[in-house]
Structure formats: C-alpha cells, structure tokens
Amino acid sequence: MASPLPAFVSRRRPDWDALQALLTRQRSGRLRLEELRRLDTLYRRAASDLAQAQTFYPGTDAHRFLNQLCGQAYGAIYQPPRERWASTRDFFRRDFPATLRREARFVGVSAGLLVLGLVLGALVVLLEPRGAELLVPEGVRRYVAQGRMWTDDLLSVAPPNAVASGIATNNLTVTLFAFASGILLGVGPVFTLVNNGVLIGAVGALCFREGMAVGFLDFIAAHGPVELSIIVISGGAGLMVGQALIDPGELPRTQALQMRGREAVKLVVGCAPFLAGIGVVEGFISPGDFFPTWAKVGLGLSLGALFWLYLLRAGRTDVGAARVDVPDDSASSRLR
C-alpha cells in the first residue's frame, strides 16, 4: 500500500534537492568524478520515485515535478550536448507551442482580463460624456477633437525605422512587466491586462463616438491581432508565477516557483521574435495612408491566424515524448 503523498514527499525530498543541486552545478561544468557518479545514482532513485508517483499520485505537483526533474537529469547524463541552432529550432518547433497548449487555462484567463478591460473602457466612454477625460490621454483627445488621428504625424516626425524601434521597446516593456509582475502574487498581470484593455477600449470608443472608427481601425488592424495575443500570452505567464506563489500544492513554495517559472519563461522567450516582427509592422505599415485599410485588415487577420495556427498545431506529433521510463542498470535507459 502506498504511503500518503505528504509522507512520500517528505521522505524523498532530500534526494530530489540533492539531484537539483548537482544538476545546477553540472550546467556550469563544475562536477568532480565522484559527483558524477552520485548524479547518476540520484537520477535512478528519482526515476524510481517517478514510477511510484505515476502509479499512486498521478496528476499531482509531485508527479509533475519528478517528471521534469528526471527529464533534466536524463539529458545531463545520457544526451550529448546539442548545437545551439538545433536547440533553438527545437524550442520553436516543439517546446514553445507545446508549453502554451499545456498552460492554455492561464492564457485564457489572461485573455478574459484583457477583454474585461476593453469592455469597461468602452462602456465608460460611451455611457458617460466625460468618461474620456478620465481614461483617454490628453494628447489623443486633442487630436480627436480636431478630427485627426494622433498617428498621422508619426512618420513625419521620425523615420519608420525609428518609429518601429520605439514601438518595439514599448511593447517589450509592457510584455516583460506583464510577466515579471506575477511575482506580486499575480496582482501585477491582472492590473496590466485590465489597464491596457481599458485604455484601448476607451480610445476606440472615443473614436467611434466622434465618427473616427475607420481611422482607428486603419491604425490597429495590421498589428493588433498579434500584438494583443503576445500581451495575453505574457500575462498568462505572469499569472502562472502568481499561482505558484499562492498555491504551491504539495511542493515547497520555492520549488513550485522554480518549476512554474521555468515554464512561464518559455512563453515569454517564445514570444520575443514575434514581438520584434510585429513592431516592424506597427512602425512601417500601420501609420499613414500608404497602405489602404482593407490591406491592413487582411494583413492583420492573416498574421493573427498564422500565429495561432502555429501555436495550436506545431509539434503535435512529438507530444508523446515527455514520458520518462524507469531506467534499468544498463546504458540503454532512455527517454520516450
């Protein structure tokens, strides 16, 4: 008969902590020969614990932690180091989209918070005549009062590459804050998502009320779908960090934060190249009237559809590769 889960975790945690410490040192290349032998021994014990967790405690935090720990140890002991390009390719081909699908509930909550902000911002401006004074920046209100878009002068003030660089920097700041502020027990991402949603909803409602809805659509159509998707994903990563602190489950809070934080970082890093690319679109295509509105709408919808098709479909043939077998004493132990 299996022992209760807390007793199992308490009894075996010293070996898990020791294995984690050796893996950390191994990544910096500082293990002695006797430490390498101990690393192998601790890995086999952890793999045995994983088999017990799969049988008696499936779906628990302890089970997930052991699966991740054994995967890392297997890679350190049996797999030769891969070239950086191959690792990067595999990350974007499998790891990033697979992580997003596993953590879809956090991304869904993040999307709900952004939509909540959009609705609140729009309703305040549409239902309260002075609502725009509270929610819309003064500079934007001044342009709208003149019947002009505040983006009309962007390309006349600075060249497109400078505009794209500034926009990318701002987007990166919002994205990183939405993720990193998760350390504030998840309050930071909630505030960031709702606040950005309120601002966008209020500005959009003001443009609609003043007969400038087409101009607003013209500016946000090309970059909006992907940019908002990235903000939502980063917010979901921040919520993962907050959840690990609020409810660490059977694991100590520090270990839960390490485990969940590692997965959250994958989401943020995976979004980085897409964030840079959409900054180029926002700097070169979104402002001005060089491209017609219909072309911007078509481009934005196409980019958004391709982005989510990639996230939902990429790497699905490799989903079964995460289960760890209990190794025997031979070198034929493997990850499948």
Side-chain angles (χ1 to χ4, degrees):
M1 173 181 279
S3 59
L5 179 57
F8 170 71
V9 172
S10 177
R11 186 178 71 253
R12 300 299 305 139
R13 186 188 300 165
D15 276 355
W16 304 344
D17 291 342
L19 179 56
Q20 270 196 316
L22 285 174
L23 287 172
T24 300
R25 293 190 60 195
Q26 187 270 345
R27 282 192 287 269
S28 63
R30 295 182 300 177
L31 288 188
R32 298 186 299 273
L33 180 59
E34 59 270 22
E35 290 175 320
L36 286 172
R37 294 195 183 102
R38 178 155 175 74
L39 175 65
D40 182 66
T41 299
L42 289 172
Y43 162 57
R44 295 174 188 281
R45 292 177 185 173
S48 178
D49 292 338
L50 173 60
Q52 187 173 348
Q54 286 174 332
T55 303
F56 298 108
Y57 318 112
T60 62
D61 287 337
H63 177 209
R64 287 188 289 270
F65 173 77
L66 282 168
N67 193 61
Q68 186 177 78
L69 181 63
C70 288
Q72 292 170 359
Y74 177 90
I77 296 171
Y78 295 106
Q79 292 182 347
R82 295 183 295 173
E83 295 181 1
R84 181 170 298 180
W85 166 247
S87 298
T88 302
R89 180 194 61 202
D90 288 346
F91 173 77
F92 283 101
R93 189 175 66 181
R94 286 195 302 265
D95 292 350
F96 171 45
T99 300
L100 180 130
R101 292 192 292 268
R102 282 197 305 272
E103 309 299 344
R105 59 190 176 121
F106 292 97
V107 177
V109 171
S110 178
L113 290 169
L114 182 69
V115 171
L116 174 63
L118 286 168
V119 173
L120 288 176
L123 287 178
V124 168
V125 172
L126 292 176
L127 299 179
E128 170 54 52
R130 300 188 61 182
E133 297 179 14
L134 299 174
L135 301 180
V136 180
E138 182 181 356
V140 174
R141 296 201 312 271
R142 190 183 309 119
Y143 270 97
V144 173
Q146 298 171 2
R148 302 169 57 209
M149 288 294 295
W150 60 98
T151 59
D152 290 345
D153 298 332
L154 277 179
L155 298 182
S156 63
V157 173
N161 59 335
V163 174
S165 176
I167 288 171
T169 301
N170 178 72
N171 291 343
L172 181 62
T173 301
V174 173
T175 298
L176 290 179
F177 184 79
F179 160 62
S181 60
I183 202 71
L184 302 174
L185 301 179
V187 174
V190 172
F191 170 79
T192 302
L193 291 162
V194 175
N195 183 62
N196 276 272
V198 166
L199 177 61
I200 296 169
V203 171
L206 177 63
C207 290
F208 175 81
R209 195 179 72 187
E210 301 301 322
M212 297 177 59
V214 174
F216 180 72
L217 176 65
D218 182 79
F219 174 67
I220 68 167
H223 65 271
V226 173
E227 184 177 296
L228 293 179
S229 296
I230 291 172
I231 292 175
V232 163
I233 293 170
S234 300
L239 293 175
M240 290 169 60
V241 173
Q243 186 265 348
L245 291 171
I246 295 172
D247 181 21
E250 304 94 356
L251 298 176
R253 187 166 276 102
T254 301
Q255 286 187 350
L257 181 60
Q258 289 176 347
M259 182 176 70
R260 302 299 289 147
R262 196 175 291 116
E263 295 297 292
V265 166
K266 290 181 182 179
L267 295 180
V268 179
V269 171
C271 285
F274 300 98
L275 189 66
I278 209 63
V280 173
V281 173
E282 190 173 357
F284 283 83
I285 297 176
S286 295
D289 55 4
F290 184 81
F291 296 93
T293 301
W294 64 264
K296 295 179 182 181
V297 171
L299 177 64
L301 292 176
S302 299
L303 291 176
L306 289 173
F307 181 60
W308 280 102
L309 182 65
Y310 155 70
L311 291 174
L312 297 176
R313 299 298 303 170
R316 281 196 175 273
T317 56
D318 300 316
V319 167
R323 202 180 83 189
V324 178
D325 281 339
V326 180
D328 56 27
D329 291 331
S330 70
S332 63
S333 303
R334 57 194 174 85
L335 187 69
R336 77 182 180 191

